Amino acid sequence: MGTVESQLATASQVTDGFHLVIDALKLNGIDTIFGLPGIPITDFTRMAQAAGLRVISFRHEQNAGNAAAIAGFLTQKPGICLTVSAPGFLNGLTALANATTNCFPMILISGSSEREIVDLQQGDYEEMDQLAIAKPLSKAAFRVLHAEDIGVGVARAIRAALSGRPGGVYLDLPAKLFAQTMDAEAGKKSLIKVVDPAPKQIPGADAVKRALDLLKGAKKPLIVLGKGAAYAQADAEIKSLIEKTGIPYLPMSMAKGLLPDTHEQSAAAARSYVLPEADVVMLVGARLNWLLSHGKGKTWGGKGHKDRGGQKFIQIDISPQEADSNVRIDAPVVGDIGSCVSALLAGIGSNWVKPPADWLGAIAERKNKNVAKMAETLAKDPRPMNFHSALNVVRDIVKANPDAILVNEGANALDFTRSIVDMYKPRKRLDVGTWGVMGIGMGFSVAAAVVSGLPVIAIEGDSAFGFSGMEVETLCRYNLPVCVVVFNNNGVYRGTDVNPTGGPDVAPTVFVKGARYDKLIEAFGGVGVHATTPAELRKAMEEAIRSRKPTLINAVIDETAGTESGRITSLNPTSGKKK
Ligand code: ADP
Ligand code: TZD
């Protein structure tokens, strides 16, 4: 076996852990990895790129993890995040936990140190029992020790991420695994192409009938669409259900655009009227968590904060455990949204009686009043620019570019954008989700641009932007069509707090005044724009969309304009102690 030819022949008959993982991912239609190289996965990233996978490298693992999570949400394929051991793993873990919380399918693949040394706690390089730590924060967690088990490990991770309620999965790959070799043919045979990774779950006929009976008897019905409905990609069925029944609907934040926000049945502009007034509410892929005031309290017409308003609830969800989590669900419909909505549509038939005209009329009246009030506010042109006058521009830009994906984080920057900027198509609005987490901005933007090829607009509070701001280099490196707009009001919520002691430190919520975030992206060859008026903002955003160049606009916002915690001020604890 001395010749080059015979060495090649032998090499081609042998495969290794590196290649088996890559082959297993490719076999299952995974085409992109979001990650950050280092021991023990540097060579893996090189080999993955050489094998034709798109490998998107980040500056911090949390952003790679957020990218993977939202790629999962957008594509219904698990987004892959790849990290190094202990600290890299921990950096990625926040995103994994956030993905699980939001029901986004992703797989965090992390290299890890030598099991023998980790388990005896002998102090290996980046030693950590990662599997144990990931378990409570993920939907499932697996470790592969032998090359011949890689196929099973990857298959289990994919099934766990996608089936039932989607979530974050951890896959632990110790350094030694990558180097293990085995016969190439046997290796190939050991891989599994997962068949039907997200099986349909058909709802029971009795559950569907129960729901329809309740809906038929309603005088003031309401449908709430959540991000589960957006994820499900049952857009045509959902539109059909809304339009055939004529029932008014409320989109949760990431369900905006499932039907255009300008749809006449949207009750979004009359939210505080419809929630307490409705008599039957049908939740479609939305949980009755804090974002819906747990289905009780004043928001729902209850007298005290724990009192129910008397609505009856129908809940369509893939998780059989979700019903009754906060209040009684009178008609749970368990199954995937596509199947559930189709079953409801079949039961509805062609002679469904639309909701009473007085209910629809009352909603329309509130809605028109609120829309007119908002139009008045948006038409103002104050100096300095405030959230409203800046968002009036963003609203126009999104209307003119309905395919663009809008990423949004911050407090006021989030709440005002959600209520002012209409969305026109499904899965175009990506935001802080169930946790209200800051830091998703650049990770989501990178992934949205990479998986869709469409322009991305990121509306960022100046504090929110700081959590992932270094990834503007990533935007430039991959030349992504992302327009970041930093709403710069000099601090967290606003920039006006003062240090009560009169000491030299500024208040905890205040940043450097007049910061020039636009200069950051210029360091990497992107386009930076400093905008102090709506006209300047408009020009810069139009140019960014037209040119598709990575752009950061520093939009100067009145530092007095924000409110503490945006719209969730009431969640701040206030001490019972008398001052
Ligand atoms: P929102 O924050 O928009 O109100 P949530 O994240 O609270 O939405 O709720 C999403 C719900 O959608 C979860 O309970 C989840 O189980 C459910 N879900 C996710 N995907 C599907 C699907 N394909 N079919 C049915 N339900 C789904
Ligand atoms: N850390 C993390 C990971 N998530 C959080 N949600 C917070 C801290 C607390 N927080 C909010 O809930 S909003 C926010 C923080 C720090 C930033 C608000 O300031 P901003 O937006 O500049 O981003 P506005 O428009 O000035 O309100």
Side-chain angles (χ1 to χ4, degrees):
M1 297 291 272
T3 66
V4 175
E5 286 79 14
S6 59
Q7 275 171 6
L8 277 177
T10 315
S12 70
Q13 286 156 20
V14 170
T15 186
D16 58 19
F18 289 109
H19 289 95
L20 285 167
V21 176
I22 292 165
D23 292 347
L25 293 173
K26 283 181 73 173
L27 182 66
N28 284 288
I30 305 283
D31 52 18
T32 308
I33 292 176
F34 305 95
L36 203 161
I39 297 172
I41 49 119
T42 317
D43 267 349
F44 181 85
T45 60
R46 292 192 185 107
M47 292 178 196
Q49 189 171 53
L53 284 164
R54 187 136 195 227
V55 182
I56 306 289
S57 267
F58 283 76
R59 304 300 293 260
H60 188 290
E61 291 88 349
Q62 190 177 120
N63 307 317
N66 284 325
I70 212 66
F73 171 77
L74 289 169
T75 63
Q76 293 186 329
K77 280 195 280 185
I80 306 292
C81 174
L82 181 69
T83 70
V84 303
S85 341
F89 157 77
L90 286 174
N91 283 345
L93 201 55
T94 305
L96 186 74
N98 189 55
T100 306
T101 299
N102 282 282
C103 319
F104 298 156
M106 80 171 269
I107 302 173
L108 174 65
I109 300 181
S110 190
S112 60
S113 313
E114 268 194 59
R115 289 275 8 118
E116 292 84 347
I117 303 182
V118 173
D119 288 346
L120 278 172
Q121 299 171 33
Q122 294 174 307
D124 201 1
Y125 169 69
E126 298 193 344
E127 172 181 301
M128 175 171 276
D129 189 358
Q130 296 168 195
L131 186 71
I133 290 164
K135 257 183 196 161
L137 297 169
S138 54
K139 188 179 167 195
F142 306 100
R143 176 188 290 133
V144 182
L145 290 177
H146 303 290
E148 60 266 33
D149 294 330
I150 286 173
V152 169
V154 170
R156 298 213 73 185
I158 291 173
R159 275 200 191 281
L162 288 178
S163 61
R165 171 183 278 177
V169 175
Y170 176 59
L171 187 61
D172 192 82
L173 304 182
K176 273 186 175 172
L177 176 78
F178 293 106
Q180 280 178 33
T181 54
M182 70 184 284
D183 173 71
E185 197 49 39
K188 199 173 169 193
K189 281 193 188 138
S190 73
L191 300 184
I192 296 174
K193 184 170 166 52
V194 178
V195 177
D196 197 12
K200 273 194 179 151
Q201 287 182 227
I202 315 287
D206 53 339
V208 172
K209 182 174 182 304
R210 195 182 296 122
L212 282 175
D213 286 348
L214 204 52
L215 216 47
K216 265 182 208 151
K219 303 228 156 27
K220 297 175 171 183
L222 176 70
I223 292 175
V224 176
L225 300 175
K227 62 169 117 65
Y231 172 75
Q233 297 195 17
D235 308 336
E237 291 91 336
I238 289 169
K239 180 170 185 283
S240 199
L241 178 77
I242 301 272
E243 293 183 342
K244 278 199 175 145
T245 59
I247 298 176
Y249 72 95
L250 268 185
M252 299 300 286
S253 178
M254 282 176 58
K256 275 167 70 78
L258 215 40
L259 288 88
D261 280 336
T262 47
H263 197 283
E264 65 162 350
Q265 282 171 258
S266 168
R271 188 179 195 272
S272 61
Y273 174 71
V274 290
L275 289 181
E277 283 293 320
D279 61 354
V280 175
V281 178
M282 180 157 80
L283 303 157
V284 185
R287 287 170 286 187
L288 278 179
N289 55 17
W290 70 280
L291 286 157
L292 281 169
S293 307
H294 304 283
K296 56 197 166 198
K298 296 219 167 97
T299 308
W300 292 91
K303 282 206 183 73
H305 83 283
K306 289 209 157 179
D307 294 328
R308 296 202 42 186
Q311 295 83 0
K312 291 210 184 296
F313 285 101
I314 301 165
Q315 183 161 36
I316 301 183
D317 205 289
I318 200 152
S319 166
Q321 294 177 49
E322 185 53 39
D324 304 332
S325 58
N326 285 273
V327 297
R328 178 175 59 247
I329 299 298
D330 303 275
V333 183
V334 176
D336 68 278
I337 286 169
S339 301
C340 292
V341 172
S342 298
L344 287 171
L345 277 170
I348 278 165
S350 52
N351 51 357
W352 181 268
V353 183
K354 301 251 154 129
D358 53 351
W359 173 233
L360 302 182
I363 297 172
E365 194 187 313
R366 259 90 183 170
K367 195 173 136 175
N368 293 340
K369 216 163 79 192
N370 290 341
V371 168
K373 219 159 83 190
M374 179 59 90
E376 234 172 75
T377 313
L378 291 179
K380 288 184 189 148
D381 191 9
R383 291 291 178 280
M385 179 159 70
N386 64 10
F387 287 103
H388 290 90
S389 59
L391 284 167
N392 189 39
V393 172
V394 179
R395 179 182 157 96
D396 289 348
I397 301 280
V398 171
K399 187 173 181 186
N401 300 279
D403 283 317
I405 296 177
L406 185 78
V407 172
N408 188 200
E409 60 177 338
N412 295 279
L414 175 90
D415 293 333
F416 285 124
T417 305
R418 185 179 57 237
S419 59
I420 292 171
V421 177
D422 289 332
M423 305 307 299
Y424 300 88
K425 294 192 174 183
R427 293 170 295 285
K428 296 297 185 188
R429 190 188 146 84
L430 312 173
D431 67 27
V432 301
T434 304
W435 266 349
V437 68
M438 297 300 112
I440 49 89
M442 296 305 101
F444 277 18
S445 297
V446 168
V450 164
V451 304
S452 74
L454 296 166
V456 175
I457 298 166
I459 304 296
E460 302 272 313
D462 50 340
S463 165
F465 173 70
F467 287 74
S468 66
M470 191 64 204
E471 303 295 348
V472 293
E473 189 273 333
T474 311
L475 299 181
C476 294
R477 189 168 8 113
Y478 294 105
N479 195 25
L480 297 173
V482 176
C483 172
V484 182
V485 184
V486 176
F487 275 20
N488 187 356
N489 63 352
N490 295 340
V492 178
Y493 311 132
R494 56 176 176 255
T496 50
D497 276 13
V498 288
N499 179 342
T501 70
D505 291 347
V506 296
T509 55
V510 169
F511 294 157
V512 166
K513 304 246 180 202
R516 291 291 300 272
Y517 292 96
D518 50 312
K519 302 269 184 202
L520 274 178
I521 200 166
E522 288 178 353
F524 307 109
V527 178
V529 183
H530 181 63
T532 59
T533 64
E536 286 168 0
L537 177 60
R538 189 180 301 271
K539 185 162 168 276
M541 288 189 77
E542 281 172 351
E543 180 54 23
I545 301 260
R546 195 200 57 73
S547 72
R548 292 177 62 94
K549 284 189 189 146
T551 300
L552 193 156
I553 304 167
N554 182 53
V556 180
I557 302 288
D558 182 356
E559 67 170 6
T560 68
T563 58
E564 176 101 3
S565 305
R567 279 216 197 127
I568 51 175
T569 307
S570 63
L571 296 182
N572 282 313
T574 43
S575 170
K577 182 169 167 265
K578 296 248 167 4
K579 284 204 180 129

